[in-house]
Amino acid sequence: ITSSATPTINTDNCDAVTITALAADITSMTSGLSGTPVNFQKLIIRIKDNGTARAITWGASFEAKGVSLPTTTVLSKVLTVGFIYDTVTSKWGCVAAACEE
């Protein structure tokens, strides 16, 4: 996915997504999210900004599940965030977040 304030992710078609050259704050990861995930389905999202740190708003479909949801990118670094779907809460739970050094 090239830069988008509301990235389109269909979890029926992919389990890993890369957002590159992010040139705007992500105002909602939830609004472009679609698909019918199953319990314990995994989703990995990698984000790299365009040289300016960008804010990330996850929205109602995501929650912290042991690891806090990152709220910004780190200037020119790849941010990788791992999720596992939980049918009890009907949300993607953040279980990992790492930024390249």
Side-chain angles (χ1 to χ4, degrees):
I1 299 172
T2 308
S3 181
S4 175
T6 56
T8 300
I9 300 170
N10 183 331
T11 61
D12 291 344
N13 298 330
C14 62
D15 58 8
V17 175
T18 298
I19 300 170
T20 60
L22 184 63
D25 293 341
I26 295 177
T27 57
S28 177
M29 286 295 269
T30 295
S31 65
L33 188 66
S34 64
T36 308
V38 296
N39 206 27
F40 290 97
Q41 183 174 336
K42 287 137 187 90
L43 176 64
I44 298 172
I45 300 174
R46 284 192 313 207
I47 305 169
K48 186 172 183 181
D49 60 49
N50 67 342
T52 300
R54 303 294 178 180
I56 304 169
T57 301
W58 294 95
S61 295
F62 296 88
E63 66 182 346
K65 274 285 204 219
V67 175
S68 298
L69 291 163
T71 56
T72 61
T73 62
V74 176
L75 181 71
S76 298
K77 303 288 184 183
V78 175
L79 172 66
T80 303
V81 189
F83 298 93
I84 298 176
Y85 192 75
D86 184 345
T87 56
V88 174
T89 62
S90 298
K91 294 183 181 186
W92 290 96
C94 183
V95 296
C99 188
E100 72 175 321
E101 294 186 21

